[in-house]
Amino acid sequence: MQKTVLILGSSGRFGQSAKCSFSWAGWDVRTFNRTSDTLPDAAWGADLIINAWNPQYTDWARDIPKLTAKVIATAKDTGATVLIPGNVYNYGPDMPEVISEHTPHRALNPLGRIRIEMEQAYRDAGVRTLILRAGDFIDTQPSGNWFDRIITPKAGVGKIVYPGNPDIPHAWAFLPDVTDIAASLAGNLDALPRFADISVPGLTLTGHQLTDAIARVSGRPQKLKKMSWLPIQVARPFWSMAAPLLEMRYLWNTPHQIRSHVLQDFLPDFLPTSLDEALEASLPEDINPNGFVRRKVGDLSRRLLPFNCSCGNAQAG
């Protein structure tokens, strides 16, 4: 019997990729339209709700508790499982270099606390929940994140702009891998704990390693330049986004990598995309217009084109 997933935030980068992964895996994919849909009606009959709603940093404190309460109430009424894309904010500036499902959530900064409280709300509610935790996304489409907005826009002229210490490791994840893992895990939810917090190891790279890999894949020498944070600091008094960006700056100067103690047990056949293939699919078109990655999960395989994905089972919500 075909299963149904409702994606909240389907126009965002995680939601877009999830539409492709779940459609490819044979799910009936619904998307939520905030202007015309009500959450209880849209979720009725859905086996899974993907909560990929992601307000701007400046609205987190106001919006995330309300959105969380709505999703929890709907999941209780419908019996649906909730899948949440997690991040490393929960660990805070004092996080250890190697983080996993066993690492305590001890963030004290505002954005970290909001994430901790949001996840705890699902645990306390008893809703079946899957948190899939990953590093910064490398995506096949421009989405305004660090990779495509800051680091690689000038790669065509041989310049990489890096926002932190280029000598320390930073956790990355190829987004199609993350959403393919989500679809694979969701296909057998009964095998997971009722509240499952699963980490995605992804890619661990220093700024220099990332620059060298981009040079190799693009066939163009790349020079790394450190981003100046001074304009953001100067703008802080009159630009509301400056404070949260500066709050999270530590992620670029704190070494961290993700490991998982359980993912291999649940998905022994999953083969992550290699670094070079991920970059080939993710670099701007003027650098690598023909790049693609061949995705394989279990017995299924597909050709994933950069900036494009065929989502045959996706339906408007």
Side-chain angles (χ1 to χ4, degrees), residues 170-182:
H170 184 86
W172 293 95
F174 185 49
L175 182 54
D177 276 1
V178 179
T179 54
D180 282 349
I181 288 171

Side-chain angles (χ1 to χ4, degrees), residues 94-303:
D94 296 325
M95 62 182 173
E97 182 168 345
V98 178
I99 51 184
S100 71
E101 294 91 352
H102 300 328
T103 304
H105 296 182
R106 293 175 175 167
L108 298 176
N109 55 303
L111 296 181
R113 290 305 310 170
I114 291 171
R115 290 293 307 195
I116 291 173
E117 291 165 5
M118 180 195 77
E119 294 177 14
Q120 188 63 43
Y122 283 97
R123 186 189 292 271
D124 293 343
V127 171
R128 181 178 285 278
T129 304
L130 168 59
I131 297 173
L132 203 56
R133 199 175 306 281
D136 276 316
F137 291 143
I138 295 175
D139 197 357
T140 58
Q141 302 182 57
S143 56
N145 66 358
W146 285 101
F147 182 82
D148 64 65
R149 188 169 185 177
I150 302 296
I151 295 173
T152 61
K154 297 182 180 180
V157 295
K159 184 184 292 185
I160 299 298
V161 179
Y162 198 72
N165 184 343
D167 295 315
I168 65 170
H170 184 86
W172 293 95
F174 185 49
L175 182 54
D177 276 1
V178 179
T179 54
D180 282 349
I181 288 171
S184 296
L185 291 172
N188 190 20
L189 288 170
D190 290 340
L192 301 177
R194 187 163 185 83
F195 186 91
D197 184 348
I198 299 178
S199 299
V200 179
L203 302 161
T204 303
L205 300 162
T206 68
H208 290 302
Q209 289 171 332
L210 179 60
T211 301
D212 291 344
I214 293 172
R216 181 174 63 250
V217 168
S218 66
R220 306 180 188 191
Q222 300 287 337
K223 183 177 181 180
L224 186 150
K225 177 184 178 181
K226 291 185 67 174
M227 185 191 94
S228 173
W229 286 78
L230 182 59
I232 298 177
Q233 292 170 332
V234 171
R236 186 168 187 165
F238 50 87
W239 183 40
S240 60
M241 275 294 291
L245 287 174
L246 291 169
E247 176 189 333
M248 302 310 298
R249 182 181 178 181
Y250 74 86
L251 286 171
W252 298 100
N253 298 298
T254 303
H256 62 283
Q257 59 181 291
I258 297 176
R259 293 183 185 170
S260 178
H261 296 283
V262 298
L263 183 60
Q264 184 67 24
D265 295 334
F266 293 121
L267 297 180
D269 296 329
F270 184 80
L271 298 175
T273 304
S274 71
L275 171 60
D276 284 8
E277 287 180 319
L279 292 177
E280 284 176 8
S282 304
L283 288 172
E285 270 190 295
D286 62 334
I287 298 176
N288 191 40
N290 299 313
F292 71 90
V293 294
R294 183 136 345 240
R295 294 293 300 115
K296 180 172 175 60
V297 180
D299 295 329
L300 302 175
S301 64
R302 66 171 168 168
R303 191 174 187 265

Side-chain angles (χ1 to χ4, degrees), residues 27-98:
W27 287 62
D28 174 32
V29 178
R30 300 178 190 169
T31 58
F32 183 82
N33 187 326
R34 292 197 192 197
T35 61
S36 60
D37 293 341
T38 62
L39 188 52
D41 289 341
W44 195 256
D47 301 278
L48 179 71
I49 301 170
I50 296 179
N51 183 7
W53 275 334
N54 189 25
Q56 288 193 356
Y57 279 159
T58 51
D59 298 329
W60 273 27
R62 181 193 68 198
D63 290 350
I64 285 184
K66 293 188 295 184
L67 295 173
T68 299
K70 288 182 180 179
V71 175
I72 288 174
T74 300
K76 283 185 173 182
D77 287 342
T78 64
T81 298
V82 180
L83 188 151
I84 305 168
N87 55 36
V88 300
Y89 293 13
N90 305 49
Y91 306 117
D94 296 325
M95 62 182 173
E97 182 168 345
V98 178

